[in-house]
Amino acid sequence: MPNTSSGPRVGLFVTCLADMFRPSVAFATVKLLEQAGCTVEVPEQQTCCGQPAFNSGDRKTTAEIARQTIDAFDGYEYVVGPSGSCIGMLHQHPDLFDPADPYFLQAKSLAARSHEITSFLFDVLYSEALEAQLKQLQFDHKVTYHDSCAGLRELGIKQQPRQLLSHVQGVELEEMDEAETCCGFGGTFCVKYPEVSNRMVSNKTDNISNTGAHTVLGGDLGCLLNMAGKLKREGKPVEARHIVEVLAGMTDTPAIGEADYNLAQQL
């Protein structure tokens, strides 16, 4: 059934990790946007944000990906995604083009219209109606929150997710030590420097576990997949979820890594 909302027309940037590993995050993002009155569309032409190529020094491929992304989201009032990392990369697209290139101004336009979901809900669309919707939700658990590097440092996302979460009934937020410290994922960083990455995620999971939280929440699937995997390998009984799953009331599905882990245990 088509969305007949008269609200802003939003293009959903799905992200590769949501598409391949956690589609529920994309569905939860759509639900939140539609509840906020947006008309949401998912351009089929979209692919990756270009960050893996960019981090590997391949600016030519990154620019090619950026052109496709710019074309895919042309005409949308806003572009919203459940990832500070990917949206942060969209904000860097103008640096890929010479000012004389027609795509330079288009890249600047895309960057200005692109928002991470919690920032979009809190900084752009926040309303009493949204607050009332969140207050109808119930999540009776102690949680802790991990600040992803890109979301925090590139986009200034810190209080937005916490403020939204504060309206959900039953949530007890216990801040971990070094919540702003990298979890060690870092895209290609964990591939290039696995020993350093492993030490960093070990420190992170210790800090998570020390809070006594039932669930660790975050806004980037890369971080969450990394932390969830380490928590499982260490036998720490802490779930990992993307914050949009809690804000959309979609926590009836297994936590990140739970389904695959339980299946592996049975084989």
Side-chain angles (χ1 to χ4, degrees):
M1 182 176 180
N3 187 332
T4 57
S5 168
S6 59
R9 181 171 173 248
V10 173
L12 175 68
F13 193 84
V14 176
T15 81
C16 299
L17 294 181
D19 182 39
M20 293 187 290
F21 295 105
R22 195 71 173 175
S24 59
V25 169
F27 290 123
T29 303
V30 171
K31 181 178 179 180
L32 286 166
L33 290 171
E34 290 185 342
Q35 286 179 338
C38 301
T39 297
V40 185
E41 298 177 22
V42 185
E44 294 184 6
Q45 187 182 353
Q46 67 178 294
T47 56
C48 176
C49 67
Q51 186 173 165
F54 184 77
N55 288 348
S56 299
D58 187 352
R59 293 179 68 91
K60 180 177 182 295
T61 298
T62 309
E64 291 173 356
I65 295 171
R67 291 186 185 94
Q68 182 167 338
T69 302
I70 291 166
D71 290 341
F73 288 96
D74 183 44
Y76 290 98
E77 188 172 351
Y78 297 105
V79 177
V80 178
S83 168
S85 179
C86 295
I87 297 300
M89 186 65 219
L90 299 190
H91 283 208
Q92 295 185 54
H93 279 182
D95 296 336
L96 299 169
F97 302 103
D98 186 277
D101 190 319
Y103 274 95
F104 174 73
L105 291 179
Q106 294 180 60
K108 290 189 69 174
S109 172
L110 177 63
R113 293 179 284 120
S114 298
H115 302 269
E116 183 270 346
I117 179 62
T118 62
S119 175
F120 186 65
L121 291 175
F122 190 80
D123 298 326
V124 180
L125 287 188
Y126 195 80
S127 66
E128 292 183 358
L130 173 60
E131 184 176 319
Q133 289 171 355
L134 295 175
K135 287 181 176 179
Q136 294 177 17
L137 300 174
Q138 195 82 25
F139 192 66
D140 296 320
H141 295 294
K142 178 186 285 189
V143 305
T144 193
Y145 198 88
H146 165 71
D147 298 296
S148 71
C149 296
L152 177 69
R153 294 171 178 84
E154 290 187 57
L155 303 178
I157 297 169
K158 177 69 176 182
Q159 292 305 320
Q160 298 94 322
R162 290 168 170 81
Q163 289 294 326
L164 294 171
L165 196 63
S166 70
H167 298 301
V168 178
Q169 301 300 306
V171 170
E172 178 187 351
L173 177 62
E174 182 73 25
E175 295 287 0
M176 72 176 89
D177 290 339
E178 300 182 349
E180 298 182 356
T181 300
C182 179
C183 73
F185 177 67
T188 57
F189 175 85
C190 62
V191 178
K192 296 177 180 177
Y193 307 100
E195 293 183 358
V196 177
S197 173
N198 184 58
R199 176 60 183 270
M200 293 172 74
V201 74
S202 294
N203 292 343
K204 179 62 69 170
T205 54
D206 283 345
N207 289 334
I208 291 169
S209 182
N210 289 341
T211 65
H214 171 276
T215 307
V216 57
L217 300 175
D220 269 286
L221 270 175
C223 303
L224 289 164
L225 287 165
N226 187 38
M227 294 183 295
K230 190 62 172 178
L231 287 165
K232 286 289 174 290
R233 291 191 295 276
E234 293 177 336
K236 292 183 169 71
V238 184
E239 293 187 350
R241 290 187 180 276
H242 196 290
I243 187 173
V244 295
E245 296 176 303
V246 175
L247 298 179
M250 295 173 61
T251 56
D252 54 343
T253 56
I256 294 171
E258 287 292 337
D260 292 341
Y261 176 75
N262 291 334
L263 177 61
Q265 294 294 93
Q266 297 171 16
L267 296 178

